[in-house]
Amino acid sequence: MRLRALLDTDALGLRLLGGQDELDRTVRGVMTTDLRDPSRYLSGGELVLTGLAWRRGPADSEPFVRLLAGAGVTALAAGEAELGAIPDDLVAACAQHRLPLFAVNESVAFATITEHVVRQVSGERAGDLAAVVDRHRRMMTSGPAGGGPDVVLDLLGSDLDLRAWVLSPAGRLIAGSRLAETELPAGVCAALAGEHLAAVRSGRRGPHRVAVGPATYSLFPVRGGGRGTTAARDVRETVLSEWLLAVEADAGDWPEERLDLLEGVTQLIAVERDRRDAARTVRRRLAQEVLELVQTGAAPGEIAARLRVAAPVLLPGLGAAPHWQVVVARVEWDEAGGGPAGFPAESAVGGRRTEAPAGGLAGGPVAQALLEEILVDPRSSGPEPSDRIAVAHTGDEAVALVPLPAVSSEHDGSETGLLADAILEAVREPLSAGLDGDGRLTLGVSAAVHSAEGLRGALEEARHARRVAAARPGRVCAAGHQELASHVLLLPFVPDDVRRAFTARLLDPLREYDRRHRAELIPTLEAFLDCDGSWTRCAARLHLHVNTLRYRVGRIEQLTGRDLSRLEDKLDFFLALRMS
């Protein structure tokens, strides 16, 4: 804003004492001070308000004004409450350094002037930033010259002092402003993504305000259209694939102009989101071609040739042919509503497991977008690490081909590649919120294979693992290839009525005894089996005397009619605990 506008505002009680020719100067901020040398706190363009407490005598005025002029201050406004009339030496010093000088009527509080200047300057900055954002949007729409979301987040930081980040629905940090000196911790990202997904699923209108730790954030959905618009299609088709803009501020009292500006920013980010999605087209096509070859039983040589084409695209710069893992994901929605009983039903048909349809909602594209977000190779670098993953979808299922760099000869034989539990560890919380009681994500991971011949087996292995995950409770479940060579593979497929009867017969007497006597027989049984029946190790783990442990085990045997020295009874207890 201009100095002239301040002088023309009667409510501010300003009277010009010098600098008539400088009234077109721009005010970029305001500062109140009575320090003799405030220059270290000035950045230029301020209107400085002072009560003159720094002045001991006439000789103090010129050094004070010289410091202000050297710091690039726009004007000085001195209050009349302390000394009455403004001293002539201060008027002369301001004239000498061409610094406009105002007198502030004693009836006007400095806070009134500060609030007016901040409100006007903030509004003008927002208008200027809106123009920049609009220009940036046109650049990005017409070509790749816009620079990505980081540029517009830097504009929010430099012009509006807003710390902002772009997050994926799984809580992955995609971009952040340079004003944000440190990245958001992973836990905060996951919490913000979960709050956002829960708000979207509940139909609440954005921006969504949430408190995480000591900070308050406003969350803006990144989608096309203006604020308050509603997509015609089911929100479940997009909620797990759209980004969000997180701003460290409470937008509850923002004016409409600033809210509209942030909506413009989200539309600009949406352009980049669409561009990155389009850039995945080649990888998706490669994955689709390989998947079709594998499923139709094509010759290994033909599959290997297609993989040789895919490897440079997925692993640029690596000369060695990669190994591959296959990840299968399925997203299913229950039209009948949420609750534990609302999981999509599975039934045994002809010895195979089949899922119930998802009420007409296509789960494949949603699962595809999710896999592209959460299957991030920790060894990759750059702004888009998921560029090295190819995901296809068919029906309600998505299949990812995850390349792994060739293992060196010094490899020690330890587990490499993606692990099922690790994939979902960081994203389970936000994705559960997005599924909101009526959807499920199940995921299966194969072992690494070293040739085209192994891909068909890897695909079937991943599908089997996903079915194991689907038989477990929970909204977001995963299983890996390791579990297919264990009793764990069998347990999920035991019918529920058989499972309940078996566990009740063995464990209910112990639970009832524990409830009445607080005897901790169930924890003792678990520890005893985990220690392979070793009295010494189990007593040490439970911090018990061996005789106390023997008493408890004897009570378990008495209540159940079983003998824990027999392998068959140990196995029955072990399975009952696993199924309970």
Side-chain angles (χ1 to χ4, degrees):
M1 66 179 303
R2 306 287 181 180
L3 286 175
R4 193 181 306 280
L6 286 175
L7 190 61
D8 293 341
T9 305
D10 295 336
L12 299 183
L14 296 177
R15 188 173 77 257
L16 184 66
L17 300 181
Q20 178 69 39
D21 297 335
E22 307 292 338
L23 292 181
D24 286 328
R25 287 188 179 188
T26 300
V27 178
R28 296 188 177 88
V30 62
M31 176 186 179
T32 299
T33 184
D34 277 312
L35 295 173
R36 296 173 67 86
D37 180 6
S39 58
R40 74 187 70 178
Y41 305 109
L42 298 169
S43 58
E46 295 92 349
L47 170 67
V48 173
L49 306 175
T50 180
L52 301 177
W54 50 267
R55 183 181 179 277
R56 302 289 188 271
D60 293 333
S61 293
E62 194 280 332
F64 180 79
V65 172
R66 177 169 16 98
L67 290 169
L68 297 187
V73 166
T74 295
L76 175 66
E80 296 179 324
E82 183 72 21
L83 301 179
I86 304 303
D88 291 339
D89 50 89
L90 181 60
V91 176
C94 287
Q96 176 185 346
H97 292 281
R98 300 179 61 83
L99 184 67
L101 175 64
F102 296 95
V104 182
N105 190 284
E106 61 181 350
S107 64
V108 178
F110 282 178
T112 301
I113 300 174
T114 299
E115 182 181 352
H116 177 82
V117 172
V118 169
R119 186 168 58 249
Q120 294 297 317
V121 170
S122 178
E124 291 178 5
R125 281 184 174 178
D128 292 342
L129 181 56
V132 174
V133 168
D134 184 65
R135 182 168 64 253
H136 198 69
R137 184 191 302 117
R138 291 196 299 271
M139 290 169 60
M140 291 186 67
T141 304
S142 61
D150 303 86
V151 175
V152 72
L153 296 185
D154 286 342
L155 290 174
L156 288 177
S158 61
D159 283 33
L160 296 184
D161 296 327
L162 292 176
R163 289 159 44 93
W165 302 265
V166 177
L167 305 176
S168 79
R172 182 168 64 88
L173 183 63
I174 294 169
S177 61
R178 281 178 289 187
L179 183 66
E181 297 178 356
T182 59
E183 291 186 353
L184 281 181
V188 175
C189 291
L192 293 177
E195 293 283 355
H196 167 74
L197 291 174
V200 172
R201 287 303 313 276
S202 67
R204 299 207 310 267
R205 185 176 180 178
H208 315 300
R209 289 172 290 151
V210 299
V212 179
T216 298
Y217 300 87
S218 295
L219 310 178
F220 296 81
V222 175
R223 63 168 69 100
R227 180 160 44 90
T229 60
T230 302
R233 55 183 174 173
D234 195 313
V235 68
R236 292 176 294 181
E237 295 184 47
T238 59
V239 66
L240 295 177
S241 59
E242 291 179 338
W243 291 351
L244 67 135
L245 173 66
V247 180
E248 190 178 353
D250 187 344
D253 56 355
W254 281 7
E256 286 293 318
E257 293 79 5
R258 179 167 287 201
L259 289 173
D260 288 339
L261 169 62
L262 267 293
E263 286 301 324
V265 170
T266 64
Q267 292 171 25
L268 177 57
I269 295 170
V271 173
E272 177 65 14
R273 175 70 177 86
D274 293 341
R275 171 173 291 122
R276 294 191 184 190
D277 196 56
R280 291 171 172 163
T281 302
V282 173
R283 295 189 300 279
R284 288 174 173 176
R285 185 183 302 120
L286 287 170
Q288 196 73 41
E289 292 173 353
V290 173
L291 177 62
E292 290 175 0
L293 290 174
V294 171
Q295 292 190 131
T296 57
E302 186 178 357
I303 299 174
R306 195 60 52 91
L307 287 177
R308 283 194 295 271
V309 173
V313 176
L314 299 178
L315 289 175
L318 291 183
H323 303 317
W324 301 88
Q325 273 184 286
V326 176
V327 180
V328 171
R330 193 179 183 102
V331 173
E332 299 168 291
W333 303 101
D334 177 19
E335 288 295 313
F343 289 155
E346 294 201 8
S347 60
V349 179
R352 297 182 61 189
R353 306 286 293 180
T354 60
E355 283 88 4
L361 280 174
V366 179
Q368 180 183 48
L370 272 179
L371 285 183
E372 288 172 336
E373 290 292 351
I374 66 177
L375 293 181
V376 177
D377 184 354
R379 289 162 294 200
S380 63
S381 60
E384 189 57 76
S386 59
D387 279 351
R388 294 185 175 183
I389 298 167
V391 186
H393 75 83
T394 173
D396 287 332
E397 181 183 78
V399 179
L401 293 175
V402 182
L404 304 173
V407 182
S408 66
S409 58
E410 291 83 8
H411 180 55
D412 60 5
S414 60
E415 187 64 41
T416 60
L418 298 172
L419 300 178
D421 290 338
I423 291 173
L424 296 184
E425 182 178 357
V427 302
R428 182 173 276 109
E429 176 185 349
L431 294 186
S432 296
L435 294 165
D436 191 38
D438 65 347
R440 293 195 80 196
L441 167 66
T442 52
L443 185 146
V445 182
S446 78
V449 295
H450 313 291
S451 64
E453 289 86 347
L455 273 182
R456 186 166 188 174
L459 177 60
E460 288 305 312
E461 189 175 58
R463 282 175 170 162
H464 280 303
R466 192 209 62 79
R467 285 192 284 269
V468 170
R472 294 172 174 168
R475 292 290 164 190
V476 180
C477 299
H481 61 93
Q482 306 94 332
E483 301 176 65
L484 302 184
S486 164
H487 66 278
V488 177
L489 173 64
L490 304 176
L491 296 185
F493 301 105
V494 176
D496 287 343
D497 54 345
V498 176
R499 180 195 302 260
R500 285 192 295 269
F502 181 73
T503 58
R505 185 167 61 252
L506 279 176
L507 301 183
D508 279 3
L510 306 182
R511 291 181 178 131
E512 177 62 21
Y513 191 88
D514 281 347
R515 186 184 65 80
R516 287 188 287 109
H517 301 284
R518 299 182 180 179
E520 298 188 350
L521 296 184
I522 292 289
T524 300
L525 176 61
E526 291 175 331
F528 186 71
L529 295 175
D530 194 46
C531 292
D532 299 323
S534 169
W535 298 97
T536 304
R537 284 195 288 124
C538 183
R541 173 180 295 190
L542 296 175
H543 305 290
L544 297 175
H545 192 278
V546 173
N547 289 340
T548 303
L549 176 61
R550 291 185 183 277
Y551 171 80
R552 288 188 182 181
V553 171
R555 178 64 66 183
I556 292 171
E557 293 174 335
Q558 179 184 15
L559 291 170
T560 61
R562 298 299 186 104
D563 182 355
L564 277 169
S565 66
R566 297 178 67 247
L567 176 61
E568 293 86 347
D569 288 341
K570 286 180 182 178
L571 181 59
D572 282 349
F573 276 122
F574 176 79
L575 293 175
L577 289 169
R578 283 299 182 97
M579 288 192 292
S580 63

